[in-house]
Amino acid sequence: MSDGAGAQGAAFAMPRVGMGTAVQGPRPEPIRRAVLKAIEAGYRHFDTAAHYETEAPIGEAAAEAVRSGAIASRGDLFITSKLWCSDAQRDRVLPALRQTLRNLQMEYVDLYLVHWPVSMKPGRYKAPFTADDFVPFDMRAVWEAMEECHRLGLAKAIGVCNFSCKKLNTLLSFATIPPVVNQVEVNPVWQQRKLRELCREKGVQICAYSPLGASGTHWGSDSVMASAVLRDIAESKGKTVAQARHLYMYNHNPRDYRVVSAATDVCLRWVYEQGDCLIVKSFDEARMRENLDIVGWELTEEERQRIAGIPQRKINRALRFVSDHGPYKSLDDLWDGEI
């Protein structure tokens, strides 16, 4: 491992729970207010991306938090952002990060990730995409540019998102500065056992997105929160109705409010117990605080075994990147037969 890789590893310390900011459509003012509330609640890790269009309000909230004394300095925060596919080309990586930093009004990000192992023509940001939008993904060229971002001090650490075991092994085979993180979908219905084993072996931290299944998004599912196993475990935990007052609505039934809230806690605790970092998303202040409250209790071994037995199905399959005439002609091509 090179000096650069060693320096990255030695300096890397990511808070285990981060606040996600992927939203449907531009919502700068609600995001700014939510980030300020989250800082007050104790969050220090914020996850954004060029594609989310939430970098600017996060930067505004961070600056306001410093001015108000809520935090001492920008250094109290851990900011993750991501390189979008249309900038996943050697000569576009550094300019893209510089634009991210302008959006954030910051001198560096703590973690910069390749959002997908996908490249598109410059300027393509919004779906639907066509076959003509895609170009081959040159992993080596993109990663060498990511390494340069790290060497320049603009990204304290670098990593990837949505990399299969095969793609991660390929990257590790030539990287001078190995990725410190692979941010991927993790939840009880997509547990990522094979990938987690590889990441542990290689010293790559898994960061889990959509730990609750992303219900309500265009690609998400309620299969996590509707799991009979999780709901049964949740009921046994005796959570209160008040903990669910702003979460999911199941026929306006108070009992279901209680069960769904407890299932949320069970999901987050399960991810936490895997050793993963996790990205949670709620703009409700009470739920923000509850999402941080996953460290004072544990699942029982019997409960862990029951969750391990849940049938597995990937939710975010990323069909929008698959095209008969593009680099990835099938889901097997994109995910290397691992879903």
Side-chain angles (χ1 to χ4, degrees), residues 127 152 197 210 296:
L152 291 171
E197 182 178 346
S210 300

Side-chain angles (χ1 to χ4, degrees), residues 105-181:
Q105 301 176 64
M106 295 179 181
E107 295 180 354
Y108 67 91
V109 291
D110 296 276
L111 178 62
Y112 197 46
L113 304 174
V114 178
H115 207 151
W116 288 92
V118 174
S119 288
M120 291 191 291
K121 292 177 180 177
R124 296 300 291 128
Y125 288 95
K126 299 294 182 184
F129 303 122
T130 68
D132 289 340
D133 293 327
F134 297 103
V135 297
F137 178 64
D138 187 340
M139 186 186 298
R140 184 186 294 268
V142 170
W143 192 251
E144 287 174 353
M146 292 287 287
E147 291 176 333
E148 182 63 14
C149 292
H150 174 63
R151 291 189 188 98
L152 291 171
L154 302 178
K156 298 296 185 184
I158 52 176
V160 295
C161 304
N162 301 299
F163 269 45
S164 64
C165 291
K166 180 178 179 180
K167 288 183 175 63
L168 186 59
N169 269 321
T170 298
L171 175 57
L172 290 168
S173 72
F174 62 73
T176 301
I177 303 174
V180 295
V181 163

Side-chain angles (χ1 to χ4, degrees), residues 7-322:
Q8 174 175 246
F12 186 71
M14 180 166 62
R16 289 285 302 280
V17 180
M19 178 180 172
T21 61
V23 294
Q24 302 293 317
R27 297 174 58 193
E29 184 55 25
I31 293 291
R32 186 192 66 81
R33 292 197 304 265
V35 171
L36 283 171
K37 288 180 181 178
I39 290 173
E40 293 172 4
Y43 286 83
R44 294 297 181 264
H45 177 187
F46 294 92
D47 182 90
T48 184
H51 189 59
Y52 302 162
E53 299 181 305
T54 56
E55 292 170 334
I58 288 175
E60 291 168 7
E64 188 171 338
V66 172
R67 289 194 299 268
S68 70
I71 55 175
S73 69
R74 183 274 180 247
D76 289 344
L77 300 179
F78 188 100
I79 305 296
T80 296
S81 195
K82 308 180 190 76
L83 175 80
W84 181 239
C85 306
S86 55
D87 291 316
Q89 299 170 39
R90 183 190 296 273
D91 63 346
R92 297 187 63 84
V93 175
L94 182 56
L97 177 52
R98 292 192 188 279
Q99 182 59 55
T100 280
L101 295 176
R102 284 192 291 271
N103 294 343
L104 289 165
Q105 301 176 64
M106 295 179 181
E107 295 180 354
Y108 67 91
V109 291
D110 296 276
L111 178 62
Y112 197 46
L113 304 174
V114 178
H115 207 151
W116 288 92
V118 174
S119 288
M120 291 191 291
K121 292 177 180 177
R124 296 300 291 128
Y125 288 95
K126 299 294 182 184
F129 303 122
T130 68
D132 289 340
D133 293 327
F134 297 103
V135 297
F137 178 64
D138 187 340
M139 186 186 298
R140 184 186 294 268
V142 170
W143 192 251
E144 287 174 353
M146 292 287 287
E147 291 176 333
E148 182 63 14
C149 292
H150 174 63
R151 291 189 188 98
L152 291 171
L154 302 178
K156 298 296 185 184
I158 52 176
V160 295
C161 304
N162 301 299
F163 269 45
S164 64
C165 291
K166 180 178 179 180
K167 288 183 175 63
L168 186 59
N169 269 321
T170 298
L171 175 57
L172 290 168
S173 72
F174 62 73
T176 301
I177 303 174
V180 295
V181 163
N182 189 8
Q183 186 181 117
V184 294
E185 177 192 341
V186 179
N187 51 60
V189 305
W190 190 243
Q191 298 182 15
Q192 296 277 22
R193 299 185 189 101
K194 179 181 177 183
L195 181 63
R196 184 174 295 104
E197 182 178 346
L198 173 65
C199 286
R200 285 175 177 164
E201 176 189 341
K202 302 298 185 180
V204 178
Q205 174 68 56
I206 283 184
C207 186
Y209 70 75
S210 300
L212 306 180
S215 178
T217 68
H218 69 278
W219 57 264
S221 167
D222 64 359
S223 59
V224 177
M225 301 309 298
S227 165
V229 170
L230 295 173
R231 289 167 70 87
D232 186 46
I233 294 172
E235 284 192 289
S236 73
K237 292 300 183 186
K239 302 292 182 178
T240 66
V241 175
Q243 285 179 298
R245 63 185 180 276
H246 293 293
L247 194 58
Y248 295 83
M249 298 181 69
Y250 281 75
N251 300 320
H252 303 283
N253 186 324
R255 175 183 173 277
D256 284 333
Y257 282 144
R258 172 176 58 82
V259 173
V260 171
S261 179
T264 299
D265 296 337
V266 168
C267 286
L268 298 183
R269 179 65 200 185
W270 177 84
V271 175
Y272 188 86
E273 289 188 4
Q274 307 313 300
D276 302 344
C277 294
L278 60 155
I279 303 301
V280 297
K281 185 175 67 177
S282 176
F283 293 171
D284 173 72
E285 190 170 1
R287 188 64 223 178
M288 284 181 191
R289 295 180 186 276
E290 289 167 9
N291 285 343
L292 288 175
D293 188 25
I294 56 174
V295 298
W297 58 284
E298 293 183 352
L299 295 167
T300 68
E301 186 57 35
E302 179 186 0
E303 290 165 347
R304 295 185 189 107
Q305 290 301 317
R306 292 185 65 192
I307 293 173
I310 292 175
Q312 296 295 287
R313 180 180 72 87
K314 182 163 178 55
I315 296 172
N316 186 11
R317 298 187 299 162
L319 276 168
R320 61 181 173 167
F321 298 133
V322 173

